[in-house]
């Protein structure tokens, strides 16, 4: 490697000092969802003519304008997003302040100290030029902060005769991605306020290409065995006896690849490649086919699931369009293949057709969880002292625990929601504010949630009730507070793990969850309580006249309503239970007899419940407090009587809808529920009591 350095002449020094972000709510019209601008930065450049003319180009996410305090005796300036400000400085030191303003008026402040001098710029430590460890053919250049009399630098990259120039503040990084690996010349020009500049040149820098994954594929959600059929994955139990390199006269080279103990399939020199599943699989009960693929080049691979006895009409593929140098995750609806005519009851092989080299992991079929987890629902930190605490022994809070006053002092944390979905999904719902600590760039106060711990992660959960373990999967997903994880505590949000596993104990009728996490030096403990829906409990029709009725206007019974005598005459109906569980599950509990009407094959009398309105539905419910609605989900699930649904009334049990939504109100201290359903011609009303 040849390195040439020479100094020509002159300018100024920038010493970098970053201020903490400060969100100012100075607009009385802001809403809870409004957030201040983030990632505020500015590029400072100066003309090389000894005039001291500095150009300031601020940038931020969510900013519409910037207020700039130049740091001298001159007036401040306001510029629109995307514009630059210019200012002439005399020699000296100045602190430039920038307030990035969002559309709602919220601001985030940024400060940088500059020293303006008309002396020749000097390198201190040599510029750092290195291949990126994670991105193929990307070169990163940084000029360290120990320069003298310099404000910024230009980095020159030349490939195939085309020159690209990137500019950055001293201390900041620029990155350039080459089209091809090889040996290149890279030049760095240090600039200040004088005419002369200073250069650093590397003439034979080797740009390298990453040819294999350097990290594992994304962590897979936990699933019970009945909800998946796995062919190749360390996350699940695989079908035994599969051959990942059957000889089909292919040119592809197969290698069993391991990355830090994580098994993968490597297929090089690909033309086509097969996988012979250990036994034919009926996947018609599954919903989705998952696969993760990594490639050093952007290309497209045809991916075929194949049945026993392959015929031309069974060759149905899905195109896997790959982005280079990263894991590409695909969740392919099995309906995609069945709509093409592929039978799903006898899948015995996979085939890949394409070119290049690929790494493959996590090939499996899956479906949504068969039943809601006992954890399904919305949880919050318990509003009490020691709701979260840390200590040297399991479950202790010897080192620290929140105080009772923190419940209000940290209200932005205690109102955070941890939402476990009926489908196995998980979400942190933080609103516009949560508790932000120093390692997140905050000052241990309420502030705008910081990615990836801001609820933006698509996450899932898996609860093993036998082992008492709860795993949250998704980078940035967490319970309690985001800092601790299995084996450590975060020093930077960017290092958030892909999953965290907690010990878990349920109490108080499964409405209190105690979590313990060993982080390497001690134990964090969190106490969460379920936000219990007013629906939870066992309900029946009110034992009175007009407990269920129908009319031409909302809530009326002018067409028909049950009589007081029906309470005993239809006792088989009035003893039916509508059971809402805290985990989001719902059940019609009818016993051996209920009221059977003519459209069900009966004669308007008590009789054996008729499917699917016989309580056999594996059902769930959702409650929208804002809209005032409750939806029961599951074919055959209903409230009151099964005949009416949204937009009609049934004439055949086989036509039962997959869900029904009712307007709902509560009275009598939450012990009475009134439901109204518009069925197209009028309104059914039901009065239920606990």
């Amino acid at each position: 490697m040849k390195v040439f350095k020479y100094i020509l002449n002159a300018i100024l020094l920038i010493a970098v000092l970053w201020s903490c972000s400060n969100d100012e709510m100075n607009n009385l019209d802001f809403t809870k969802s409004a957030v201040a601008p983030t990632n505020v930065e500015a590029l400072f450049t100066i003309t090389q003519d000894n005039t001291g003319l500095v150009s300031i180009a601020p940038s931020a996410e969510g900013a519409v304008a910037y207020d700039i305090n130049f740091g001298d005796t001159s007036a401040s300036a306001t510029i629109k997003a995307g514009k630059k400000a210019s200012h002439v400085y005399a020699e000296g030191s100045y602190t430039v302040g920038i307030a990035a303003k969002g559309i709602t008026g919220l601001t985030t402040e940024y400060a940088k100290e500059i020293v303006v001098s008309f002396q020749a710029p000097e390198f201190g430590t040599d510029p750092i030029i290195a291949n990126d460890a994670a991105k193929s053919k990307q070169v990163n250049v940084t000029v360290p902060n120990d320069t003298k009399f310099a404000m910024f630098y230009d980095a020159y990259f030349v490939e195939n005769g085309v020159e690209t120039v990137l500019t950055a503040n001293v201390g900041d990084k620029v990155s350039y991605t080459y089209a091809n690996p090889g040996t290149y010349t890279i030049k760095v020009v240090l600039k200040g306020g004088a005419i002369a500049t200073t250069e650093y040149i590397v003439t034979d820098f080797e740009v390298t290409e990453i040819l294999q994954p350097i990290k594992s594929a994304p962590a897979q959600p936990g699933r019970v065995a009945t909800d998946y059929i796995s062919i190749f994955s360390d996350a699940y139990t695989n079908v035994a006896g599969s051959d990942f390199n059957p000889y089909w006269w292919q040119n592809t080279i197969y290698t069993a690849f391991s990355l830090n103990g994580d098994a993968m399939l490597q297929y090089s020199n690909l033309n086509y490649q097969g996988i012979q599943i250990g036994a034919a699989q009926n996947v018609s009960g599954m919903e989705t086919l998952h696969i993760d693929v990594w490639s050093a080049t952007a290309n497209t691979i045809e991916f075929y699931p194949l049945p026993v006895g392959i015929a031309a009409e069974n060759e149905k593929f899905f195109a896997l369009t790959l982005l280079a140098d990263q894991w590409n995750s695909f969740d392919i609806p099995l309906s995609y293949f069945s709509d093409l005519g592929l039978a799903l009851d006898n899948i015995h092989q996979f085939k890949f057709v394409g070119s290049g080299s690929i790494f493959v992991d996590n090939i499996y079929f899956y479906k949504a969880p068969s039943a809601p987890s006992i954890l399904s629902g919305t949880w919050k930190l318990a509003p009490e002292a020691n709701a979260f605490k840390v200590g040297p022994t399991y479950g202790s809070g010897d080192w620290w625990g929140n105080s009772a006053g923190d419940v209000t002092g940290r209200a932005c944390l205690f109102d955070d929601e941890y939402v476990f979905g009926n489908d196995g999904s998980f979400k942190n719902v933080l609103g516009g504010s949560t508790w932000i600590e120093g390692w997140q760039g905050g000052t241990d106060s309420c502030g705008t949630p910081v990615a990836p711990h801001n609820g933006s992660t698509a996450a899932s959960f898996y609860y093993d009730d036998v082992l008492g373990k709860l795993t949250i999967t998704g980078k940035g997903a967490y319970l309690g507070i985001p800092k601790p994880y299995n084996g450590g505590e975060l020093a930077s949000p960017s290092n958030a793990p892909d999953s965290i596993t907690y010990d878990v104990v349920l109490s108080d009728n499964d409405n209190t969850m105690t979590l313990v996490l060993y982080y390497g030096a001690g134990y964090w403990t969190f106490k969460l309580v379920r936000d219990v829906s007013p629906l939870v409990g066992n309900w029946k029709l009110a034992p009175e006249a007009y407990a269920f009725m129908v009319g031409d206007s909302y809530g009326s019974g002018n067409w028909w309503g049950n009589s007081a005598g029906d309470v005993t005459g239809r006792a088989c109906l009035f003893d039916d239970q509508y059971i809402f569980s805290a985990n989001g599950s719902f059940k019609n509990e009818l016993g051996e007899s209920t009221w059977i009407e003519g459209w069900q094959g009966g004669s308007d009398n008590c009789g054996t419940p008729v499917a699917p309105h016989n309580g056999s539905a594996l059902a769930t419910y959702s409650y929208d407090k804002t809209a005032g609605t409750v939806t029961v989900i599951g074919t055959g699930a209903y409230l009151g009587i099964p005949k009416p649904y949204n937009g009609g009334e049934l004439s055949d049990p086989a036509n039962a809808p997959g869900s029904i939504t009712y307007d709902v109100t509560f009275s009598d201290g939450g012990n009475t529920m009134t439901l109204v359903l518009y069925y197209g011609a009028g309104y059914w009303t039901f009065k239920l009591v606990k």
Side-chain angles (χ1 to χ4, degrees), residues 519-549:
Y519 70 94
Y523 298 83
W524 275 98
T525 301
F526 306 99
K527 182 179 179 181
L528 306 185
V529 291
R530 195 194 301 266
D531 189 4
V532 179
S533 166
L535 291 164
V536 171
N538 295 11
W539 300 78
K540 296 181 179 180
L541 281 168
E544 61 189 46
Y546 286 85
F548 62 110
M549 58 187 180

Side-chain angles (χ1 to χ4, degrees), residues 135-139 159 166 175-180 207 325:
K135 297 180 180 179
S136 185
K137 297 169 288 186
Q138 176 175 301
V139 175
E159 186 174 16
L166 301 177
S175 300
Y176 177 78
T177 301
Y178 288 84
N180 299 291
V207 176
D325 305 320

Side-chain angles (χ1 to χ4, degrees), residues 24 62 111 113 180 189 236 272 286 401 422 450 489 526 530 601 628 636:
E24 299 175 357
E113 186 174 300
N180 299 291
V189 180
Y236 307 118
Y272 61 88
M286 299 290 116
N422 289 335
V450 177
E489 291 186 319
F526 306 99
R530 195 194 301 266

Side-chain angles (χ1 to χ4, degrees), residues 5-26:
K5 293 192 273 184
Y6 60 95
I7 299 175
L8 300 177
N9 266 317
I11 92 167
L12 96 129
L13 166 69
I14 303 289
V16 181
L17 292 174
W18 304 90
S19 73
C20 297
S21 294
N22 178 30
D23 296 341
E24 299 175 357
M25 299 184 180
N26 56 5

Side-chain angles (χ1 to χ4, degrees), residues 565-583:
D566 285 331
V567 176
T568 54
R570 303 191 186 197
C572 61
L573 173 62
F574 278 83
D575 67 3
D576 289 350
Q577 296 186 62
Y578 313 93
I579 303 174
F580 296 85
S581 296
N583 71 338

Side-chain angles (χ1 to χ4, degrees), residues 68-112:
I68 301 176
N69 184 331
F70 295 113
D72 56 11
T73 58
S74 62
S76 299
T78 298
I79 61 173
K80 294 181 180 180
K83 301 296 183 180
K84 298 180 181 179
S86 296
H87 188 67
V88 176
Y89 287 92
E91 286 189 287
S93 297
Y94 308 92
T95 298
V96 180
I98 298 175
K101 301 170 65 174
I103 193 169
T104 62
L106 294 177
T107 65
T108 300
E109 295 185 355
Y110 162 95
K112 190 177 180 89

